[in-house]
Amino acid sequence: MFKKSTERTITRIRRNLAGLDCADCHHSNTVTSNRLREETLRKHLDAMSAKQPPKPSAFRAPFNNGPANAPPTANPMAAGFGMGYTPGETPMVATTPSKVPEAPKAASRADDNAVLVQKKASSKGVLRLGELLIQEGRLTEDQLKKALSQSKASKRPLGTTLVRMGILTEEELGKCLATLHHLDYLSLANISIPDEVLTVLPEDFIKQHLVLPICVHKELKRIEVTMARPDKMAVLDEIALITGYRAVPKVSTHTEILEFIDTRFRQAISGDEALKKLQENHANSGNTGISELYAPNVEDLDADVDVDDAPVVMLVNSLLMNAIEQGASDIHVEPQNAQLLIRYRIDGILKEIRSIPKNNAAAIVSRIKVSSGMDIAERRKPQDGRMRVKIGSQEVDMRVSSIPVQFGEKICIRILRGNVMTGGTAQLGLTEYELDTLTRMVKAPNGIVLVTGPTGSGKTTTLYACLREINSPEINISTVEDPIEYPLAGINQTPMNPKAGVTFASTLRALLRQDPDVILVGEIRDEETLEAGIHAALTGHLVFSTLHTNSAAKTVNRLLEMGAPNYMVSSAVVGILAQRLVRTICNGCKTEIAPTAEDRVALEYSPDEPLTLYQGAGCQKCNNTGYSGRTAVYEIMKISREIQELVEKNAPTFEIQDMAVKQGMSTLAMSAKRKILEGKTTVEEVNRILGVDWEG
Ligand SMILES: [Zn+2]
């Protein structure tokens, strides 16, 4: 029996089936209406019985797979089960066996042998094929004997053995089997099976039994399937059991079915086709929103969650795909009192995408958890997971985390865009002076280079660009990251795993025994990591890391606060880069605006000085936000001899900053102002991002 045929699977399948009907059969050239089919079959059988000489044959008896004089209904085939006829209907095959004369009497000696062999094998029905082939003159009895013994030795069916012996092609075998079982042969070469039909049977059932659903006739309560082994009646029984529909088989070759399964299900796994379909569905659903797309069929899923439920899978896929398309960095799935709220973070700002009726919340959350390898039964503890979505040739990794909240579990999906940037520091959008300064910092033989800023300010992008800049076969670059956001060719990346004792500090110490030239430590979070980092820098290594500080100059202060001695900070740190991401004005709706008095003050322009500013008026391209994409603003501080002296004598932050500015550094605020004047962003946006640091 079909082991996974739980009540739920069956319910789901039957529910899906209810919406399916092949009114105008998609392969009408091979499938005719029931009545026409009957007529065709009758003709076929008549022709067959006419062809078959009434003279006795040793092979007649097993043709019926039972005693020659047995009533025709003794054979399930004869009873019409596999034919698409219920036992009550005319058992058409019954005419054939009734014509069979008593066979063994007239059998020759050679036939006697064959009968012996055949008696053994007849329970498997193999000789029926042999008989047909001999009748058709395609096989000699010697060949049959040889094939039978090979078949027995290899435990392969006779048909397969004949194909392997080169006596039959697969297609010929398929056609013979079809004839034997009075079925149609179906070549899959030009057949397309719609997804909704293919999915009426569970994927593992299809793979296990090599049977493909090809067509559903609702009124006739009939599913047409195709299979390579039409003798496997039990499979048809199971299909009937699962679907509640009668299964009517056709015959196709083993290879064609395998190839079909391989292509279709591989596509489904990669998500290519599914996502394409989803997009279409989504477009077709118009403004009604996707919740309506599946609402009619879904009962209360809260208690009994089916994570494989097709509409749920589709909905989750579409949420992921749309997020990627819209350039979101995070997807928030938030259970509320009466709904499940979906929000995307796009260009740093959360945006409500849709709300989904609460009764579907559990299924959606569970689907995401399953896809990202979490334990769906565990709902009370936070969990972490990962998943990968493939769209076309693009693969997108996602880091998923769950946390219990008042109304269920909140899910956050971080979309890791591994292929956003593949170049070095030249791609970071720095000014010439900044690029020159950064290049000298990353090419230092040893020391610490720090990149600072809040979460989501593009620090990893900058660090990876630095590593790519210096990456070469002559040096060993190792990293310890939390998490590895994307793989870097030629670089040894270690993911942090505190449970297994893999922390930044411990790995940093371990990496020092790995003969490294350059080390990237994801973040300096504690004194221990800082100490190990400084130690590495002072023993001849170049160390890259990040800190959560607001400006380059304040970072010095932070390092001292964490317990590093002044002389060590001044001698180990090569340079500090602080950065933020600001949204850029949408090109589709960029318009000139007259600056306000506040704008002039912020930009240090006198009231009568000419000043042109821009903003986005809002258009479809930017979802009426006026912004599209982001750009980084930087402040890059090289630890010069003068700054070293200031650090050693514990000078206040502003003194360090002033010195750096005097030596050519642009502060974050200065960089941001430049971007405003260049028409790349707005005063409001810089206010939002920099807040009080704006004054600097
Ligand atoms: Zn726009």
Side-chain angles (χ1 to χ4, degrees):
M1 264 306 112
F2 176 52
K3 288 193 188 72
K4 291 187 178 171
S5 62
T6 59
E7 285 300 307
R8 212 163 56 206
T9 313
I10 290 176
T11 310
R12 168 165 55 86
I13 282 167
R14 294 191 178 185
R15 195 171 64 204
N16 290 347
L17 263 175
L20 283 181
D21 189 23
C22 187
D24 180 27
C25 203
H26 66 284
H27 44 86
S28 49
N29 55 330
T30 60
V31 177
T32 44
S33 82
N34 203 24
R35 187 166 303 160
L36 266 175
R37 213 186 111 83
E38 262 180 49
E39 279 168 20
T40 318
L41 253 170
R42 250 177 229 285
K43 277 183 201 157
H44 178 68
L45 287 170
D46 287 348
M48 267 187 63
S49 46
K51 241 197 271 173
Q52 280 160 10
K55 73 180 174 195
S57 156
F59 301 103
R60 279 324 286 172
F63 185 86
N64 196 20
N65 209 8
N69 54 357
T73 43
N75 183 345
M77 276 306 293
F81 180 82
M83 305 282 301
Y85 302 96
T86 49
E89 289 176 62
T90 328
M92 299 173 39
V93 222
T95 55
T96 315
S98 64
K99 285 180 190 166
V100 179
E102 288 160 59
K105 275 185 196 167
S108 68
R109 193 165 290 178
D111 285 345
D112 283 344
N113 270 342
V115 169
L116 281 177
V117 187
Q118 151 214 331
K119 267 184 183 161
K120 275 188 182 169
S122 64
S123 59
K124 290 175 191 164
V126 284
L127 271 188
R128 290 181 291 154
L129 177 65
E131 175 222 25
L132 181 80
L133 291 170
I134 286 176
Q135 272 181 5
E136 290 189 352
R138 296 196 204 198
L139 196 65
T140 64
E141 284 178 7
D142 275 355
Q143 279 176 318
L144 176 60
K145 271 187 216 161
K146 210 182 278 176
L148 278 173
S149 66
Q150 275 201 22
S151 162
K152 197 181 164 193
S154 63
K155 291 184 178 163
R156 283 199 188 90
L158 177 64
T160 315
T161 310
L162 289 169
V163 171
R164 290 176 77 92
M165 286 168 74
I167 293 169
L168 282 184
T169 65
E170 255 208 291
E171 191 181 343
E172 284 167 343
L173 171 66
K175 285 178 176 165
C176 285
L177 287 173
T179 308
L180 274 176
H181 295 273
H182 317 295
L183 302 170
D184 285 334
Y185 174 78
L186 177 69
S187 164
L188 292 175
N190 296 310
I191 292 290
S192 71
I193 304 177
D195 272 352
E196 57 271 24
V197 171
L198 192 64
T199 50
V200 300
L201 293 178
E203 187 179 326
D204 41 0
F205 184 87
I206 289 175
K207 286 177 177 167
Q208 187 189 343
H209 299 294
L210 298 183
V211 56
L212 296 172
I214 48 175
C215 185
V216 174
H217 291 276
K218 193 177 179 180
E219 215 170 286
L220 302 167
K221 291 209 126 218
R222 211 172 75 168
I223 284 182
E224 298 189 2
V225 299
T226 192
M227 55 208 287
R229 294 285 306 275
D231 53 326
K232 300 235 165 184
M233 307 300 298
V235 175
L236 300 175
D237 281 340
E238 284 189 37
I239 295 173
L241 199 81
I242 295 168
T243 59
Y245 279 24
R246 202 147 36 84
V248 182
K250 290 177 184 297
V251 184
S252 302
T253 66
H254 190 259
T255 304
E256 275 195 326
I257 292 179
L258 270 183
E259 277 173 1
F260 189 94
I261 289 175
D262 197 40
T263 325
R264 278 299 275 277
F265 288 106
R266 201 174 42 209
Q267 274 178 1
I269 290 163
S270 76
D272 267 11
E273 190 148 293
L275 287 175
K276 222 183 285 162
K277 281 224 149 52
L278 271 171
Q279 207 169 9
E280 287 162 15
N281 286 338
H282 195 42
N284 293 341
S285 69
N287 295 327
T288 55
I290 205 153
S291 56
E292 205 176 301
L293 188 70
Y294 73 112
N297 279 337
V298 180
E299 297 99 21
D300 186 13
L301 280 162
D302 227 356
D304 191 14
V305 173
D306 188 349
V307 291
D308 294 325
D309 198 34
V312 171
V313 173
M314 275 174 53
L315 179 68
V316 169
N317 286 355
S318 88
L319 289 177
L320 299 177
M321 189 189 65
N322 288 339
I324 294 166
E325 271 184 353
Q326 294 186 30
S329 60
D330 302 82
I331 305 169
H332 292 248
V333 180
E334 302 165 307
Q336 316 236 311
N337 191 14
Q339 63 193 354
L340 187 69
L341 190 65
I342 310 288
R343 296 196 289 172
Y344 293 167
R345 188 179 291 279
I346 301 170
D347 295 339
I349 307 256
L350 273 174
K351 187 179 151 218
E352 191 173 326
I353 298 301
R354 62 168 57 97
S355 75
I356 293 166
K358 186 63 188 279
N359 56 354
N360 305 317
I364 288 163
V365 167
S366 295
R367 171 72 197 168
I368 298 171
K369 285 170 74 183
V370 162
S371 308
S372 50
M374 294 184 193
D375 176 3
I376 57 167
E378 179 56 80
R379 298 193 174 118
R380 293 160 306 169
K381 284 184 192 162
Q383 290 187 67
D384 289 314
R386 276 185 99 97
M387 61 177 149
R388 176 172 287 178
V389 172
K390 195 175 170 193
I391 300 182
S393 58
Q394 187 193 7
E395 282 193 346
V396 182
D397 281 315
M398 303 190 186
R399 196 172 82 210
V400 187
S401 67
S402 76
I403 195 158
V405 292
Q406 190 182 3
F407 297 111
E409 277 174 291
K410 179 186 182 298
I411 301 268
C412 184
I413 303 171
R414 162 63 57 90
I415 300 171
L416 306 169
R417 292 169 187 280
N419 53 357
V420 169
M421 220 184 71
T422 50
T425 46
Q427 283 191 4
L428 289 172
L430 299 160
T431 63
E432 207 174 312
Y433 173 81
E434 287 169 339
L435 183 60
D436 183 54
T437 312
L438 183 63
T439 306
R440 274 185 284 146
M441 276 158 52
V442 301
K443 291 197 170 154
N446 64 304
I448 300 180
V449 175
L450 292 167
V451 178
T452 76
T455 306
S457 55
K459 298 190 293 286
T460 308
T461 306
T462 303
L463 283 172
Y464 279 16
C466 291
L467 293 186
R468 281 196 210 94
E469 189 68 36
I470 53 175
N471 191 11
S472 85
E474 286 94 49
I475 61 167
N476 170 2
I477 304 180
S478 297
T479 75
V480 49
E481 301 171 64
D482 180 28
I484 294 173
E485 292 207 9
Y486 39 98
L488 294 166
I491 291 173
N492 312 291
Q493 294 168 282
T494 305
M496 199 180 90
N497 185 353
K499 274 184 216 159
V502 184
T503 64
F504 284 136
S506 69
T507 313
L508 186 47
R509 282 191 294 266
L511 282 179
L512 286 176
R513 297 188 288 273
Q514 289 277 324
D515 184 31
D517 299 290
V518 177
I519 301 170
L520 167 72
V521 183
E523 190 190 333
I524 294 179
R525 285 182 193 162
D526 47 42
E527 204 186 324
E528 203 188 351
T529 312
L530 176 61
E531 209 184 303
I534 289 177
H535 174 71
L538 294 178
T539 51
H541 307 96
L542 185 62
V543 179
F544 289 92
S545 193
T546 71
L547 266 177
H548 284 252
T549 48
N550 287 337
S551 74
K554 281 178 185 163
T555 305
V556 173
N557 199 30
R558 178 86 188 104
L559 294 174
L560 298 174
E561 274 173 14
M562 285 173 83
N566 295 46
Y567 72 94
M568 277 202 175
V569 172
S570 72
S571 53
V573 180
V574 179
I576 302 166
L577 182 151
Q579 71 176 81
R580 298 286 189 286
L581 293 176
V582 295
R583 289 183 294 168
T584 46
I585 297 169
C586 169
N587 277 330
C589 57
K590 185 170 169 178
T591 43
E592 225 176 277
I593 52 159
T596 63
E598 289 81 29
D599 291 342
R600 285 181 178 277
V601 172
L603 294 167
E604 295 168 83
Y605 269 64
S606 61
D608 47 357
E609 234 175 314
L611 172 64
T612 311
L613 297 180
Y614 296 87
Q615 72 176 24
C619 67
Q620 215 175 354
K621 186 189 160 204
C622 59
N623 280 317
N624 285 318
T625 57
Y627 297 98
S628 170
R630 286 189 288 181
T631 182
V633 290
Y634 303 96
E635 92 181 8
I636 302 183
M637 183 169 90
K638 186 179 174 295
I639 307 294
S640 61
R641 179 163 306 183
E642 292 76 11
I643 291 177
Q644 274 180 329
E645 280 170 14
L646 289 172
V647 173
E648 273 164 36
K649 65 178 195 191
N650 237 349
T653 303
F654 73 86
E655 265 187 48
I656 296 174
Q657 177 153 319
D658 287 351
M659 176 59 77
V661 170
K662 197 176 135 197
Q663 293 180 333
M665 180 183 88
S666 287
T667 61
L668 282 172
M670 289 157 76
S671 299
K673 279 176 196 172
R674 197 168 50 234
K675 298 261 180 191
I676 295 169
L677 296 174
E678 285 169 357
K680 285 187 180 143
T681 190
T682 63
V683 173
E684 294 77 36
E685 175 64 6
V686 172
N687 263 328
R688 185 180 74 82
I689 292 295
L690 288 184
V692 288
D693 293 329
W694 176 226
E695 313 301 328

